[in-house]
């Protein structure tokens, strides 16, 4: 028995290509025809009902109330890192011990295809960074062709803007094409955006507060992250381009941002930590991190058209990020800004060096100049009826974990 891997000892059958292996155990909020919204953990094609499991007596030594019955994960997240870790380890023990698992199986197991997924977090503040050098350079080359592709501040701090949390959605929810004003040639017009785009990003959920006035040191910042999600920052490029100077993104962004329904814990992702790109010039001391790491998460962007033609459009990776998540947090709080449990941060669009690794249609079509193929259809930007599909997974040896899919249709 002892030389078997955790995966081999898992009582529930989990395909070796499943995103939801026993090494993952991401948290989400779901409901079924017979059950109201509650917290669950994904495993293979199943969901473990944490609320039912709690009611059988599980977790009671560490968790005083059933925090899994609510509509969001926030109450659970607020219990802190030791509790997140304890629940994950308890589930790994449960799933590998027949004497514990089998008597409970019927009560606590649901099937994913019978479940509807909901936004997992009651999101407080939402901040979106701009941390990929390749993405920032591509945008600079397109919009400021005669200057340095990066702004003079870009290599000195993680640039960001404060976004809008009310319009954050999850998988299965549609995005209504926004109307707004933009330039058509020299003319200012009002109408439906003609250049609706995606941004392929990693999102992360804050799990711990710092007090107002007390910055988070960069080498302590990882303790403030509960976990990660896929994030699609839908962007209306025509509206964005006309409005963004001098104060930055507004109506070109705040009509819809999607996050994946399963939150992978920071703990589960640590296995896939890799060194981040070196930083030149060196950064100020408050951003100087002892071990600068990113996660090696392969990120996919696919489109499926109304006519059911589908294609992969780009494959990127969160390991390319120039500014790490910890540096983003240190910078966000260096002036004393306080973070709260349930805040959502996006890394910014993640692009690699190769053309097929660009994380937006803006870059993939070089601002609409080049078409991409989806079956026998062509696209520059999104059309009504298109479904955007983001996926992300990590693999190391036989261990695989992933987010599942984030699907949203343009209407
Ligand atoms: Ca963005």
């Amino acid at each position: 028995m002892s030389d078997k891997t955790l995966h081999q000892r898992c009582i529930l059958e989990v395909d070796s290509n499943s995103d939801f292996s026993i090494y993952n155990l991401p948290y989400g909020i779901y409901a079924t025809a017979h059950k109201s919204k509650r917290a669950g953990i994904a495993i293979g094609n199943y969901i473990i009902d944490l609320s039912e499991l709690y009611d059988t007596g599980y977790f009671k030594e560490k968790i005083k109330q059933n925090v899994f019955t609510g509509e969001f994960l926030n109450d659970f997240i607020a219990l802190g890192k030791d509790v997140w870790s304890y629940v994950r380890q308890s589930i790994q023990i449960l799933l590998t011990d027949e004497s514990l698992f089998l008597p409970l199986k019927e009560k606590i197991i649901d099937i994913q295809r019978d479940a509807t997924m909901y936004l997992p977090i009651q999101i407080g503040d939402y901040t979106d960074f701009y941390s990929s050098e390749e993405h920032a350079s591509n945008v600079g080359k397109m919009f400021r062709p005669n200057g340095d592709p990066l702004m003079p501040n870009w290599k000195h701090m993680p640039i960001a803007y404060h976004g809008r949390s009310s319009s954050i959605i999850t998988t299965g929810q549609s995005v209504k094409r926004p109307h707004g004003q933009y330039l058509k040639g020299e003319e200012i017009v009002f109408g439906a955006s003609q250049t609706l785009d995606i941004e392929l990003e990693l999102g992360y959920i804050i799990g711990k507060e710092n007090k107002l006035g007390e910055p988070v040191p960069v080498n302590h910042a990882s303790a403030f992250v509960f976990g990660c999600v896929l994030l699609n920052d839908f962007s209306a490029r025509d509206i964005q381009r006309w409005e963004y100077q001098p104060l930055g993104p507004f109506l070109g962004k705040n009509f819809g941002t999607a996050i994946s329904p399963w939150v992978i814990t920071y703990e589960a992702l640590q296995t896939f930590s890799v060194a981040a790109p070196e930083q030149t010039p060196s950064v100020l001391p408050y951003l100087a991190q002892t071990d600068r790491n990113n996660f090696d998460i392969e990120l996919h962007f696919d489109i499926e058209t109304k006519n059911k033609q589908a294609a992969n459009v780009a494959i990127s990776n969160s390991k390319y990020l120039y500014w790490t998540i910890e540096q983003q947090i240190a910078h966000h709080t260096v002036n004393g800004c306080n973070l709260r449990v349930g805040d959502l941060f996006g890394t910014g669009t993640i692009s690699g060096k190769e053309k097929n690794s660009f994380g937006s249609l803006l870059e993939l079509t070089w601002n609409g100049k080049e078409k991409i193929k989806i079956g026998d259809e062509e696209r520059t930007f999104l059309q009504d009826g298109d479904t955007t599909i983001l996926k992300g997974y990590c693999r190391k040896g036989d261990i695989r974990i992933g987010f599942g899919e984030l699907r949203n249709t343009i209407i």
Side-chain angles (χ1 to χ4, degrees):
M1 273 301 273
S2 60
D3 57 350
K4 284 190 171 179
T5 65
L6 204 53
H7 175 73
Q8 286 163 336
R9 286 189 288 132
C10 184
I11 299 161
L12 286 169
E13 177 100 347
V14 179
D15 189 273
S16 58
N17 277 321
S18 173
D19 281 353
F20 305 126
S21 66
I22 193 167
Y23 305 101
N24 189 353
L25 305 180
Y27 295 90
I29 295 287
Y30 76 104
T32 67
H34 309 289
K35 290 179 173 180
S36 58
K37 279 192 198 176
R38 63 200 50 221
I41 280 181
I43 176 81
N45 296 324
Y46 305 96
I47 301 174
I48 298 170
D49 181 336
L50 292 173
S51 178
E52 283 289 337
L53 184 59
Y54 183 88
D55 287 341
T56 68
Y58 240 71
F59 311 131
K60 283 199 175 138
E61 60 185 87
K62 288 244 184 200
I63 305 177
K64 300 289 171 239
Q65 279 177 16
N66 190 343
V67 288
F68 304 111
T69 54
E71 298 206 345
F72 298 105
L73 295 171
N74 297 52
D75 290 347
F76 164 63
I77 297 172
L79 297 176
K81 198 175 180 178
D82 291 348
V83 173
W84 316 332
S85 204
Y86 157 78
V87 170
R88 183 160 174 270
Q89 280 166 23
S90 302
I91 297 293
Q92 285 182 335
I93 292 166
L94 176 71
L95 285 171
T96 51
D97 185 336
E98 289 190 347
S99 68
L100 290 173
F101 180 72
L102 294 179
L104 298 174
K105 183 177 176 185
E106 203 163 324
K107 216 180 182 103
I108 62 163
I109 294 295
D110 286 305
I111 299 172
Q112 281 178 29
R113 66 166 184 271
D114 296 338
T116 304
M117 299 306 300
Y118 292 91
L119 191 68
I121 309 290
Q122 184 163 35
I123 295 162
D125 288 307
Y126 162 46
T127 302
D128 198 19
F129 282 87
Y130 192 54
S131 288
S132 156
E133 179 175 3
E134 289 77 9
H135 172 67
S137 301
N138 283 339
V139 173
K141 281 178 208 162
M142 268 181 264
F143 294 141
R144 296 183 305 276
N146 301 320
D148 189 329
L150 294 175
M151 296 295 278
N153 57 8
W154 198 89
K155 288 210 159 178
H156 298 278
M157 59 178 159
I159 300 294
Y161 69 95
H162 283 121
R164 179 90 189 154
S165 57
S166 63
S167 51
I168 296 172
I169 58 175
T170 190
T171 196
Q173 293 184 264
S174 50
V175 174
K176 196 171 171 186
R177 181 179 297 273
H179 284 61
Q181 58 166 287
Y182 52 87
L183 287 181
K184 197 173 180 181
E186 307 271 285
E187 193 190 355
I188 301 161
V189 298
F190 178 86
S193 170
Q194 302 299 300
T195 51
L196 187 54
D197 196 358
I198 75 124
E199 291 195 339
L200 177 59
E201 305 192 15
L202 191 65
Y204 54 101
I205 309 293
I206 296 297
K208 182 181 173 178
E209 303 188 353
N210 61 310
K211 289 204 178 93
L212 180 61
E214 294 183 9
V216 175
V218 68
N219 289 320
H220 296 157
S222 66
F224 286 75
V225 186
F226 170 67
C228 293
V229 287
L230 297 169
L231 188 149
N232 187 346
D233 176 19
F234 286 98
S235 301
R237 299 300 178 195
D238 38 14
I239 298 171
Q240 182 185 0
R241 201 161 174 200
W242 173 227
E243 76 178 358
Y244 84 103
Q245 288 177 320
L247 283 186
F250 188 38
L251 303 183
K253 296 282 190 176
N254 69 5
F255 60 93
T257 305
I259 63 169
S260 56
W262 294 108
V263 186
I264 303 184
T265 61
Y266 223 49
E267 183 176 79
L269 284 166
Q270 293 309 317
T271 308
F272 308 96
S273 190
V274 291
E278 281 194 27
Q279 293 188 309
T280 317
S282 59
V283 297
L284 287 170
Y286 80 93
L287 290 168
Q289 194 179 353
T290 312
D291 290 307
R292 277 183 66 256
N293 292 313
N294 286 326
F295 297 122
D296 183 1
I297 309 174
E298 193 166 299
L299 301 166
H300 289 230
F301 165 37
D302 297 5
I303 293 178
E304 186 180 290
T305 71
K306 192 160 59 178
N307 306 321
K308 298 291 168 204
Q309 308 241 26
N312 172 256
V313 178
I315 299 177
S316 188
N317 194 308
S318 56
K319 71 184 179 187
Y320 301 141
L321 286 168
Y322 188 84
W323 295 104
T324 65
I325 286 175
E326 290 77 15
Q327 288 179 308
Q328 293 168 23
I329 291 173
H331 185 65
H332 201 304
T333 60
V334 73
N335 64 348
C337 174
N338 54 322
L339 311 180
R340 292 183 294 194
V341 171
D343 287 352
L344 171 70
F345 289 3
T347 57
T349 311
I350 305 174
S351 295
K353 287 191 177 14
E354 308 303 323
K355 182 148 193 196
N356 63 359
S357 64
F358 294 169
S360 65
L361 290 168
L362 176 74
E363 296 162 87
L364 289 160
T365 69
W366 213 251
N367 197 21
K369 288 192 184 69
E370 298 166 32
K371 291 183 162 56
I372 51 170
K373 278 216 152 298
I374 300 162
D376 54 23
E377 297 184 48
E378 289 180 328
R379 288 290 180 279
T380 48
F381 292 95
L382 296 171
Q383 295 188 4
D384 290 351
D386 285 350
T387 298
T388 60
I389 304 160
L390 304 194
K391 294 179 272 197
Y393 67 89
C394 318
R395 191 191 278 282
K396 192 173 190 181
D398 293 335
I399 301 180
R400 176 181 165 126
I401 71 171
F403 293 96
E405 285 186 346
L406 172 59
R407 298 175 73 98
N408 302 95
T409 301
I410 309 302
I411 58 170

